[in-house]
Amino acid sequence: MSRVLTGDRPTGPLHLGHYFGTLANRVSMQRSGHEVFVVVADYQVLTDRDAPGDLRRAVRELVRDYLACGLDPDTTVIFPHSCVPELNQLLLPFLALVSVAEMSRNPTVKDEIRLSRRGTVSGLMFSYPVHQAADILFCKAELVPVGRDQLPHLELTRTIARRFAERYGQIFPLPEGVLSDVPLLPGLDGRKMSKSLGNGIALGDPPDVVAARIRRARTDGDPRIVFDPDGRPEIAVLLRLAALCAARSPQDIAAEIGDRGAAALKALTTEAVCNFLRPLRERRAAIDDAVVTEVLRSGIARARDIAAATLAEVHAALGADHERPLVAVSG
Ligand code: TRP
């Protein structure tokens, strides 16, 4: 069994793209006995904006989404990284292990700078991948399930672990990335399903919202429904969505609709999505505020224990453990 760490920025409700892309995989890793850590990357929200918005609410809603999907807080550790000071202290020695050139070359950071369309780039934008290395290494994670865009960050994390070992001694295992094998679920307009593009279906969306979103999806005029992603991309988006939610193949659904056209396909898709989301919504409704508070409290406590132990090891390796002034570790 391995230690697994992954996480999300708390920037809004999770959608079906997240579910099929990563959440389902986290739940199955948890069920097969891996020790799963989920970091709520609240500091990362500040990379491309001046203020994080209603962060408290966003974090708590994210925790609700996790629990609704089946993450079990008795075994899975869920914590916002801002609440783990010992993790944050790892940033300083880690920054010494990477060059400014390496930070400037990161392709994901470059894309984010371009997309943020801001006149200035903050120091956090450049250095957050080093902080992300602290997210991963503080608990000595071995497996890191991520999307393709996160691979440069993972490579940097491995570089930091390797250089730390060369200079000070081996503390950290080299974490391996685990790419999700589910094909990307596109949004209803065919682009990547994304919070900011508004083309997704959130896990908490009620049936009337789901129906309205699917009704607005574009289709073509051909009443015969076939699964042809290149020739009929708009129809393929709906077929994929229905297929994932109903655990069937897109071809099978296309055959069932036959020549009854886009309206019948939209009706079937709406029903499949609503049936899929119903149990999640019911579980979500049963999670009250006190549960969320307790999940965060216990997740933070566990993360802090582990981070304090790792920080003590790092200080000892650096020769900076004179009076252990920074960490409260007994013994
Ligand atoms: N950068 C990730 C994202 O934007 C979130 C994240 C923060 C993360 N720390 C992490 C992912 C550590 C994996 C491991 O989605």
Side-chain angles (χ1 to χ4, degrees), residues 48-67:
D48 62 355
R49 62 199 83 189
D50 293 331
D54 189 348
L55 195 55
R56 172 183 294 274
R57 190 181 138 80
V59 170
R60 297 177 67 89
E61 290 301 302
L62 195 55
V63 172
R64 281 208 168 80
D65 278 337
Y66 291 155
L67 300 178

Side-chain angles (χ1 to χ4, degrees), residues 19-32:
Y19 185 87
F20 292 111
T22 117
L23 294 164
N25 181 45
R26 291 179 200 175
V27 173
S28 79
M29 287 183 119
Q30 166 195 276
R31 293 202 173 130
S32 57

Side-chain angles (χ1 to χ4, degrees), residues 5-9 39 41 44 81 112 128 132 135-136 144-146 149-150 153:
L5 181 131
T6 186
D8 305 286
R9 295 181 183 188
V39 60
Q44 278 192 20
H81 59 185
E112 286 169 344
Y128 88 79
Q132 184 157 326
D135 291 341
I136 295 169
V144 185
V146 279
D149 62 325
Q150 299 294 304
H153 302 348

Side-chain angles (χ1 to χ4, degrees), residues 42-321:
D42 49 357
Y43 274 141
Q44 278 192 20
V45 177
L46 295 169
T47 52
D48 62 355
R49 62 199 83 189
D50 293 331
D54 189 348
L55 195 55
R56 172 183 294 274
R57 190 181 138 80
V59 170
R60 297 177 67 89
E61 290 301 302
L62 195 55
V63 172
R64 281 208 168 80
D65 278 337
Y66 291 155
L67 300 178
C69 289
L71 287 180
D72 173 4
D74 287 339
T75 54
T76 290
V77 181
I78 300 171
F79 65 98
H81 59 185
S82 70
C83 294
V84 184
E86 301 82 359
L87 178 161
N88 290 292
Q89 285 193 44
L90 294 174
L91 178 63
L92 290 176
F94 286 1
L95 276 171
L97 297 170
V98 298
S99 69
V100 171
E102 277 169 324
M103 289 198 276
S104 325
R105 268 203 299 272
N106 186 307
T108 298
V109 170
K110 282 189 184 167
D111 282 350
E112 286 169 344
I113 290 172
R114 206 172 318 116
L115 286 173
S116 79
R117 298 215 187 117
R118 288 161 58 101
T120 58
V121 179
S122 72
L124 183 62
M125 177 62 105
F126 270 114
S127 56
Y128 88 79
V130 184
H131 189 242
Q132 184 157 326
D135 291 341
I136 295 169
L137 296 178
F138 93 93
C139 68
K140 306 188 180 180
E142 299 158 274
L143 299 177
V144 185
V146 279
R148 212 161 272 288
D149 62 325
Q150 299 294 304
L151 289 180
H153 302 348
L154 193 69
E155 210 34 61
L156 182 76
T157 303
R158 291 165 59 86
T159 301
I160 288 172
R162 215 179 287 117
R163 286 190 191 147
F164 192 95
E166 282 160 17
R167 294 188 196 177
Y168 305 111
Q170 172 91 43
I171 291 185
F172 305 108
L174 281 189
E176 302 279 347
V178 185
L179 279 182
S180 142
D181 57 2
V182 181
L184 200 69
L185 176 65
L188 290 167
D189 57 1
R191 291 185 287 173
K192 180 181 173 184
M193 194 181 277
S194 140
K195 294 176 212 171
S196 51
L197 294 174
N199 61 357
I201 293 171
L203 299 181
D205 278 348
D208 56 322
V209 173
V210 172
R213 285 187 182 271
I214 291 176
R215 206 178 309 120
R216 277 201 306 271
R218 239 188 288 145
T219 53
D220 53 40
D222 185 344
R224 213 171 78 78
I225 300 302
V226 288
F227 183 59
D228 173 8
D230 293 328
R232 312 266 309 270
E234 289 138 343
I235 296 297
V237 164
L238 290 169
L239 285 170
R240 274 217 180 92
L241 178 59
L244 280 169
C245 287
R248 293 170 62 184
S249 76
Q251 290 83 354
D252 185 32
I253 291 173
E256 178 183 328
I257 303 286
D259 55 12
R260 288 186 293 126
L265 174 59
K266 285 186 172 181
L268 184 150
T269 306
T270 303
E271 196 188 331
V273 173
C274 290
N275 284 342
F276 178 81
L277 290 180
R278 189 176 310 115
L280 263 76
R281 237 192 7 266
E282 284 169 3
R283 250 178 281 151
R284 203 169 201 287
I287 302 163
D288 65 20
D289 271 351
V291 170
V292 175
T293 302
E294 180 49 28
V295 166
L296 286 167
R297 197 201 56 73
S298 67
I300 291 165
R302 176 111 175 87
R304 286 196 70 176
D305 275 351
I306 294 170
T310 303
L311 183 62
E313 279 183 79
V314 165
H315 281 164
L318 258 56
D321 56 345

